[in-house]
């Protein structure tokens, strides 16, 4: 009987498969095959080109342009690079290199500039006569920038002329234009604004840019890289004559060092090897490897070459000087304890493990590095006996400590007893499940919050470990002290991972380790101490994505006796707007014609029409604020538009101290030609005018009034679109600014906001959105949520523990170099680096709250 059933089932299955095959054959025809080229393919698959569409991918766009400029420096043609973050969210990279060619390419019949910025596979990196060494392999960087940007502008200074071309989402919107004579310099400047349709977040982080650009300046000694942020008025220039030697000093600024950096610079068979190394009094090894300026987190042949040379040279010196007593033989780890080193190579044909350049695979590099380091390090040790004695003393101590630790493992009080003999900590409120993949451990600040979490959790898969007081700062503590700390031992026991063998996660008891602390200063401090512990002693947990930070709700909302919590800021704003719009009307008064006032009939906006108006005004406000950050006001632009009877002007032009406004690029060109005819000679195109910087007359040759400055206000395009939408409501740009007082008389009231008995008079439409939000707050007390103890168990479950509603942030290690530097600076022994960091960032702190926007 079972055989019959099997036969029937097989027959039905075969029939179903035949039907599916037939249907698939009908659907999969040649007309279903799409051909995506250049920008279309990049926009369809951005992750292939920049890794992701988050913050990392966003910054990668900029780095691609910076790398192009650095490659010009490696070729010997660029000495200065400038990165500017503009107030409208765009960013530019400029250099003084040769400038991208603009003439017609012989094979394609298109401008070379357009080809380089839009056509996949086009580039000079394939020709080793143009770039002997380059971090770019595939000619993709600039194309990704134009394809993934809302708009891009390329400005090239070459052969005494200035050329410009504009693009939108990877496609040129103008031809390559000759816009005038150039001053006595060459170079390329690319300005772009990331496309919000591609990126979740389009705001560039100054600290992230600062860290990466500083690193590039260290790796290219003598190259000057300037960073300016118009949003906050910050600027900094990175220039290091000492190159990687200064890099090592910078990394060790929070440590006690044993000697000055040892610097090696050798070129063999067109491969340049630069190494800087310095020993500290600490225990951690920090060796960072780079190939053609690209960081290689997985090391590669240059790292293996360096380690091999270090081991053989130091061992040879120690044996020659009889420094290893009682058959002591240091291992590679002993020789590298406390070592900070930068290993940078420039290779004509780099072979990387992947597009992200994780590991260098060129086999010839290993031997070249071994030879260079062996020779130079041996010579240094012979010529600097005092430093050699300090280094070898450090090595001997490390070897003796290792052997002592090995002997201690055989004793009864073995370090593994934390996991083997003591069992689980008594205050751990464990879960029922024994499956790590579904289990979660919450590290909760304080006993009271731990009690609420214990009562509110799902006991099947959620465990709670309350933490008492401040956790030990392991950055300052020796391992012996770490292992004698009760809270740390409880934590190790609960997690199930031995810090002496933290690479082995086979005994990990929970798939998620969640840090749950208050949002006040103490809570942030405890969270930082815990992150320090995991980074230094259980880094594998972070690397494999097991560590999370819980985000309790941001707001506590009280209405009469009812208390509830709102998770995110945008949810709070949306709720207040919805409440404020309920039953609200906007009444437009009738306006009669008089000086400065446009006549208009009375009208009332409510319901869906008022909601649509609010959306238009909210979108407009973002662009208007960008305009105001440029120290420009809407009234002045409205006056310019009125004079010309059209939209707001987009181009601000200054020449000879006079200011002019134009709506199109063609109008700017016409003005330039007219001015040149009046003067009888060409105008020199200057760099874009910066806010608060008056134009400089002349170009250094004694002719005043010859420099033309052009500033394009991209946000005005958005304002013009918003004004078009306003006109659909019978409103104009004049409604966004207060009416002027005439002959001392107060201007008429144009707008009245009504809700029940409440009436609010508005002088301009820009006040409408905040006033509606205030109406939404009536009857509510909205406070920033601070302590977990403010919630009962049910509230804690609903907001923070329930997987269906909570927000968890995964702790990721995106930049190991920056993370290491941050922990050393903020948590290390030395006070000066920490004080400098606090002083530098003090003005940026608006409130001590990790939820902050």
């Amino acid at each position: 009987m079972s055989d019959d059933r099997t036969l029937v089932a097989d027959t039905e299955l075969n029939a179903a498969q035949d039907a599916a095959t037939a249907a698939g054959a009908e659907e999969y025809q040649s007309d279903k095959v799409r051909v995506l080229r250049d920008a279309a393919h990049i926009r369809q698959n951005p992750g292939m080109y920049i890794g992701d569409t988050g913050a990392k991918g966003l910054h990668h766009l900029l780095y691609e342009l910076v790398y192009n400029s650095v490659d010009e420096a490696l070729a010997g043609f660029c000495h200065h690079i400038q990165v500017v973050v503009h107030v409208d969210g765009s960013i530019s990279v400029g250099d003084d290199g040769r400038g991208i060619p603009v003439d017609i390419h012989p094979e394609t019949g298109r401008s070379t500039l357009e080809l380089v910025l839009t056509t996949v596979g086009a580039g000079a990196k394939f020709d080793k006569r143009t770039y002997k060494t380059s971090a770019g392999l595939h000619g993709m960087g600039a194309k990704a920038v134009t394809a993934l940007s809302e708009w891009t502008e390329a400005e090239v200074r070459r052969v005494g002329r200035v050329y410009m071309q504009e693009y939108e989402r990877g496609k040129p919107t103008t031809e390559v234009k000759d816009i005038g004579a150039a001053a006595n310099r060459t170079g390329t400047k690319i300005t772009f604004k990331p496309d919000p349709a591609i990126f979740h977040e389009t705001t560039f982080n100054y600290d992230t840019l600062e860290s990466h650009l500083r690193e590039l300046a260290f790796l290219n000694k003598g190259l000057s890289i300037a960073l300016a942020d118009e949003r906050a008025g910050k600027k900094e220039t990175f220039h290091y004559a000492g190159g990687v030697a200064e890099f090592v000093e910078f990394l060790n600024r929070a440590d006690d060092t044993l000697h000055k950096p040892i610097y090696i610079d050798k070129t063999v068979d067109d491969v340049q090897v630069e190494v800087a190394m310095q020993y500290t009094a600490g225990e951690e090894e920090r060796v960072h490897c780079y190939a053609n300026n690209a960081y290689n987190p997985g090391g590669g042949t240059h790292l293996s070459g360096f380690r091999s040379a270090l081991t053989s040279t130091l061992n040879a010196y120690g044996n020659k000087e009889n420094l290893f007593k009682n058959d002591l033989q240091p291992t590679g780890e002993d020789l590298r304890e406390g070592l900070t080193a930068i290993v940078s190579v420039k290779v004509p044909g780099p072979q990387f493990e992947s597009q992200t350049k994780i590991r260098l695979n060129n086999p010839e590099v290993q031997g070249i590095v071994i030879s260079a380091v062996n020779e130079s390090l041996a010579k240094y040790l012979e010529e600097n006996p005092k430093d050699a004695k300090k280094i070898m003393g450090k090595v001997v101590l490390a070897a003796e400590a290792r052997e002592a630790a090995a002997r201690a493992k055989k004793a009864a009080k073995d370090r593994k007893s934390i996991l083997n003999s003591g069992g689980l900590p008594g205050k751990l409120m464990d879960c029922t499940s024994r499956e790590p993949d579904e289990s979660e451990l919450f590290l909760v600040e304080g006993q009271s919050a731990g009690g609420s979490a214990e009562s509110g959790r799902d006991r099947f898969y959620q465990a709670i470990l309350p933490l008492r007081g401040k956790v030990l700062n392991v950055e300052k503590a020796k391992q012996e002290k770490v292992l004698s700390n009760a809270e740390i031992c409880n934590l190790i026991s609960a997690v199930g991972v031995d810090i002496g063998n933290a690479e082995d996660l086979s005994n990990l008891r929970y798939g998620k380790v969640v840090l749950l602390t208050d949002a006040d200063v103490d809570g942030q401090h405890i969270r930082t101490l815990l992150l320090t512990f995991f980074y230094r002693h259980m880094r594998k947990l972070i690397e494999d994505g097991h560590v999370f930070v819980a985000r309790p709700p941001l707001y506590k909302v009280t209405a009469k006796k009812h208390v509830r919590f709102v998770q995110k800021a945008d949810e709070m704003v949306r709720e207040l707007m919805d409440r404020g719009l309920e039953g609200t009307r906007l009444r437009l008064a009738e306006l009669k014609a008089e000086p400065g006032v446009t006549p208009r009939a009375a009208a009332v906006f409510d319901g869906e029409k008022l909601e649509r108006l609010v959306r238009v005004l909210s979108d407009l406000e973002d662009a208007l604020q960008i305009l105001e950050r440029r120290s420009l006001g809407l009234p002045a632009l409205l006056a310019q538009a009125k004079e010309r009877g059209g939209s707001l002007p987009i181009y601000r032009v200054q020449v000879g101290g006079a200011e002019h406004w134009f709506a199109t690029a063609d109008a700017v060109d016409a003005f330039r030609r007219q001015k040149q005819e009046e003067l009888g000679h060409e105008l020199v195109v200057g760099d874009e005018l910066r806010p608060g910087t008056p134009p400089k007359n002349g170009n250094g040759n004694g002719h005043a009034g010859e420099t033309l400055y052009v500033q394009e206000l991209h946000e005005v395009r958005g304002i013009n679109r918003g004004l078009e939408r306003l006109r659909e409501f019978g409103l104009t740009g004049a409604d966004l600014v207060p009416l002027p007082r005439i002959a001392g008389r107060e201007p008429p009231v144009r707008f009245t906001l009504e809700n029940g008995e409440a009436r609010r008079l508005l002088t301009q439409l820009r006040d409408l959105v905040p006033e509606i939000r205030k109406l939404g707050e009536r009857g509510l007390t909205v406070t920033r949520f601070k302590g977990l103890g403010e919630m009962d168990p049910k509230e804690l479950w609903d907001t923070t523990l329930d997987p269906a509603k909570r927000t968890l942030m995964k702790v990721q290690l995106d930049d190991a170099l920056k993370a290491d530097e941050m922990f050393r600076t903020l948590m290390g022994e030395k006070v000066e680096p920490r004080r400098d960091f606090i002083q530098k960032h003090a003005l940026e702190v608006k409130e001590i709250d990790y939820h902050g926007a």
Side-chain angles (χ1 to χ4, degrees):
M1 188 69 179
S2 60
D3 291 343
D4 291 340
R5 284 198 299 267
T6 302
L7 180 61
V8 171
D10 287 345
T11 302
E12 291 175 348
L13 177 61
N14 291 336
Q17 289 175 338
D18 290 342
T21 301
E26 291 179 5
E27 292 176 3
Y28 183 39
Q29 302 294 340
S30 58
D31 62 347
K32 303 298 182 183
V33 177
R34 297 177 62 198
V35 179
L36 297 177
R37 293 191 176 94
D38 302 328
H41 190 268
I42 297 172
R43 290 179 66 83
Q44 181 78 18
N45 308 281
M48 290 177 58
Y49 299 92
I50 60 170
D52 61 42
T53 54
K56 192 173 182 179
L58 175 74
H59 290 81
H60 185 85
L61 283 186
L62 173 78
Y63 302 152
E64 288 286 3
L65 296 180
V66 174
Y67 279 135
N68 288 343
S69 297
V70 171
D71 288 340
E72 275 287 282
L74 293 176
F77 297 100
C78 172
H79 305 284
H80 303 279
I81 299 172
Q82 184 177 44
V83 176
V84 180
V85 186
H86 302 286
V87 293
D88 62 352
S90 65
I91 195 165
S92 63
V93 178
D95 63 45
D96 59 353
R98 290 168 286 188
I100 299 173
V102 297
D103 51 343
I104 299 301
H105 190 270
E107 293 181 20
T108 64
R110 295 162 59 196
S111 165
T112 305
L113 174 63
E114 180 179 318
L115 201 65
V116 166
L117 292 181
T118 62
T119 304
V120 171
K125 304 296 174 66
F126 308 111
D127 183 358
K128 293 305 174 187
R129 292 171 299 178
T130 306
Y131 292 105
K132 184 176 290 186
T133 60
S134 165
L137 296 178
H138 311 293
M140 294 306 307
K143 290 84 172 168
V145 170
T146 52
L148 301 177
S149 296
E150 187 177 342
W151 55 262
T152 308
E153 289 177 356
E155 179 188 292
V156 175
R157 293 171 182 263
R158 189 177 171 94
V159 293
R161 310 296 298 174
V162 181
Y163 301 89
M164 180 172 285
Q165 187 172 31
E166 298 182 6
Y167 315 81
E168 287 184 6
R169 296 178 172 87
K171 296 181 179 180
T173 56
T174 68
E175 298 295 326
V176 176
K177 295 181 180 179
D178 180 340
I179 62 172
N184 296 325
R185 71 175 182 84
T186 59
T188 302
K189 183 172 77 170
I190 307 292
T191 305
F192 69 95
K193 187 172 184 181
D195 190 349
I198 298 291
F199 295 95
H200 311 304
E201 174 58 59
T202 58
T203 302
F204 288 96
N205 181 278
Y206 183 88
D207 290 340
T208 301
L209 298 175
E210 178 188 43
S211 176
H212 194 76
L213 296 179
R214 180 191 289 112
E215 179 181 288
L216 283 174
F218 278 130
L219 294 170
N220 297 274
K221 60 182 177 181
L223 176 64
S224 173
I225 304 180
L227 171 63
D229 189 343
E230 294 178 352
R231 301 168 303 182
K234 297 180 181 179
K235 57 183 178 180
E236 198 161 354
T237 299
F238 310 109
H239 178 266
Y240 305 103
V244 294
E246 287 192 61
F247 196 175
V248 166
E249 287 183 319
F250 176 79
L251 294 175
N252 287 339
R253 68 194 185 281
D255 298 285
D256 294 322
T257 57
L258 304 185
H259 57 90
K260 292 289 184 182
I262 303 169
Y263 178 63
I264 301 166
D265 185 2
K266 285 207 166 189
T267 301
V268 179
D269 296 336
D270 289 331
V271 175
Q272 182 189 8
V273 178
E274 256 192 303
V275 175
M277 52 184 288
Q278 184 180 43
Y279 280 89
T280 72
E283 299 177 354
E284 188 179 357
E285 172 198 358
R286 288 184 295 170
V287 179
H288 303 289
C289 298
Y290 300 83
N292 294 10
N293 291 305
Y295 175 53
N296 315 124
T301 50
H302 46 351
L303 175 61
S304 57
F306 171 74
R307 285 181 168 174
S308 177
L310 183 75
T311 299
S312 60
T313 304
L314 291 185
N315 272 329
Y317 182 83
N319 288 322
K320 182 173 75 71
E321 298 294 327
N322 296 316
L323 299 175
F324 305 143
K325 307 297 183 181
N326 303 320
D327 296 325
L328 180 72
Q329 190 59 48
T331 65
E333 289 186 0
D334 301 330
L335 297 165
R336 298 191 300 270
E337 183 178 294
L339 173 66
T340 300
I342 300 295
V343 181
S344 175
V345 295
K346 306 290 195 311
V347 187
Q351 300 168 18
F352 294 110
E353 185 173 295
S354 68
Q355 172 68 12
T356 51
K357 306 175 177 67
I358 292 174
R359 179 183 173 87
L360 180 69
N361 289 334
N362 293 62
E364 74 277 8
V365 170
Q366 181 169 343
I368 292 172
V369 173
I370 288 175
S371 174
V373 175
N374 267 335
E375 180 183 343
S376 300
L377 182 56
K379 183 179 179 183
Y380 177 87
L381 295 172
E382 293 293 342
E383 294 178 352
N384 299 272
K386 289 184 178 179
D387 288 347
K389 183 178 180 180
K390 292 178 183 177
I391 292 171
M392 298 311 298
K394 170 79 172 175
V395 169
V396 169
L397 283 175
E400 291 174 346
R402 173 180 50 80
E403 291 192 349
R407 289 191 296 269
K409 285 185 178 181
K410 299 176 182 179
K413 293 184 178 180
D414 181 24
R415 186 168 42 81
K416 290 187 178 181
S417 63
I418 295 175
L419 295 179
N420 294 344
S421 64
L424 294 175
K427 60 181 182 177
L428 173 67
M429 306 165 199
D430 207 358
C431 57
T432 303
S433 174
R434 291 295 175 261
E435 292 295 327
D437 290 344
E438 66 180 6
S439 301
E440 303 174 346
L441 173 64
F442 285 84
L443 306 179
V444 183
E445 173 190 352
Q447 294 294 332
S448 60
S452 291
E454 196 280 331
S455 300
R457 66 178 172 138
D458 184 325
R459 287 177 172 78
F460 179 75
Y461 67 93
Q462 292 180 330
I464 306 294
L465 180 65
L467 301 173
R468 184 182 61 196
K470 296 291 176 64
V471 180
L472 177 70
N473 180 4
V474 300
E475 188 72 19
K476 297 180 181 180
K478 296 287 185 182
Q479 185 153 309
E480 294 78 11
K481 186 175 181 181
V482 172
L483 294 171
S484 64
N485 182 272
E487 290 293 306
I488 293 293
C489 289
N490 286 336
L491 182 53
I492 295 170
S493 178
V495 172
V497 176
D498 183 1
I499 65 172
N501 188 23
E503 291 294 309
D504 180 11
L505 301 185
S506 59
N507 293 321
L508 179 64
R509 303 183 67 245
Y510 308 94
K512 287 186 175 72
V513 178
V514 185
L515 281 52
L516 180 55
T517 61
D518 290 345
D520 58 12
V521 176
D522 285 341
Q524 290 184 77
H525 190 197
I526 292 171
R527 182 169 59 109
T528 304
L529 290 167
L530 287 169
L531 288 173
T532 306
F533 168 76
F534 284 117
Y535 181 77
R536 291 302 185 202
H537 292 289
M538 293 186 183
R539 183 164 159 178
K540 183 72 171 171
L541 278 183
I542 296 176
E543 291 174 342
D544 288 5
H546 293 292
V547 180
F548 296 79
V549 174
R551 293 193 63 172
L554 192 55
Y555 295 99
K556 179 180 180 181
V557 181
T558 307
K560 296 183 179 178
K561 294 184 178 181
H562 178 65
V563 177
R564 60 189 177 84
F565 300 90
V566 177
Q567 194 76 27
K568 300 176 183 177
D570 57 352
E571 291 177 10
M572 191 73 253
V573 170
R574 189 163 55 248
E575 177 178 332
L576 293 178
M577 289 302 298
D578 289 345
R579 293 182 87 251
L581 284 166
E582 189 175 337
T584 298
R585 298 175 302 280
L586 177 68
R587 193 175 296 278
L588 278 63
E590 178 185 0
L591 297 179
K592 296 181 179 179
E594 57 179 280
V597 179
T598 302
R600 181 173 59 209
V604 175
F605 294 170
D606 57 10
E608 191 269 339
K609 187 175 183 179
L610 182 57
E611 286 183 34
R612 285 193 294 113
L613 176 61
V614 165
R615 285 197 295 271
V616 171
L617 292 173
S618 297
D619 293 341
L620 256 173
E621 188 62 26
D622 294 336
L624 290 171
Q625 289 182 8
I626 291 171
L627 185 70
E628 289 166 350
R629 285 200 291 270
R630 295 188 192 272
S631 300
L632 295 171
L634 181 61
L637 265 66
L638 287 171
Q640 292 288 341
K642 189 174 182 180
E643 286 181 15
R644 291 160 177 75
S647 301
L648 302 186
I650 295 172
Y651 296 90
R652 181 190 191 192
V653 177
Q654 292 188 347
V655 61
E659 186 173 83
H660 309 269
W661 292 89
F662 301 97
T664 66
D666 290 340
V668 175
D669 287 342
F671 170 78
R672 177 177 59 83
R673 290 192 296 270
Q674 177 189 339
K675 200 70 178 176
Q676 288 176 163
E677 289 178 6
E678 293 175 4
L679 293 171
H681 52 71
E682 279 197 305
L683 292 168
V684 173
V685 179
D687 289 331
E688 181 182 301
L689 189 66
R690 300 280 176 241
T693 305
K696 297 177 182 178
N697 291 332
N699 61 355
N701 59 7
H703 297 288
E706 290 191 346
T707 302
L708 177 80
Y709 295 89
V710 180
Q711 182 181 29
E712 184 174 357
L713 309 176
H714 291 275
E715 66 275 7
V716 175
R717 299 181 193 276
I719 295 173
N720 280 331
R721 288 193 295 269
L723 294 180
E724 281 291 330
R725 293 169 66 190
L726 270 187
R727 282 190 274 274
E728 297 173 7
F729 294 88
L731 301 166
T732 68
D735 292 311
L736 297 171
V737 297
L739 290 174
R741 297 179 65 184
I742 299 176
R745 292 186 293 115
E746 291 294 329
V749 174
R750 293 175 290 174
F751 311 104
T752 303
L753 194 62
E754 300 176 347
N755 185 288
E757 298 297 321
R759 296 175 72 253
R760 306 195 182 193
L761 306 181
L762 309 181
T763 61
Q764 58 179 328
L765 274 181
R766 290 182 69 180
D767 294 334
L768 178 62
V769 174
E771 287 298 332
I772 288 178
R773 191 177 298 130
K774 287 180 183 177
L775 285 173
E777 293 180 6
R778 289 191 308 175
L780 300 179
T781 301
V782 180
T783 57
R784 297 283 283 197
F785 171 75
K786 289 298 181 184
L788 297 170
E790 295 181 29
M791 289 188 286
D792 61 34
K794 184 180 184 307
E795 291 170 335
L796 191 59
W797 166 258
D798 288 339
T799 61
T800 312
L801 300 178
D802 184 358
K805 301 175 184 176
R806 72 189 182 189
T807 300
L808 293 183
M809 298 185 296
K810 181 185 288 187
V811 179
Q812 298 183 131
L813 187 58
D814 292 331
D815 188 336
L817 182 64
K818 188 173 181 181
D820 185 84
E821 177 191 337
M822 187 64 68
F823 281 115
R824 284 176 178 265
T825 299
L826 298 182
M827 310 303 289
E829 290 281 2
K830 284 196 173 181
V831 175
E832 292 80 5
R834 183 159 50 252
R835 183 183 61 228
D836 293 343
F837 179 90
I838 293 171
Q839 289 176 343
K840 179 179 179 180
H841 296 280
L843 295 178
E844 301 169 17
V845 179
K846 296 180 179 177
E847 57 180 304
I848 305 297
D849 183 347
Y850 72 79
H851 290 107

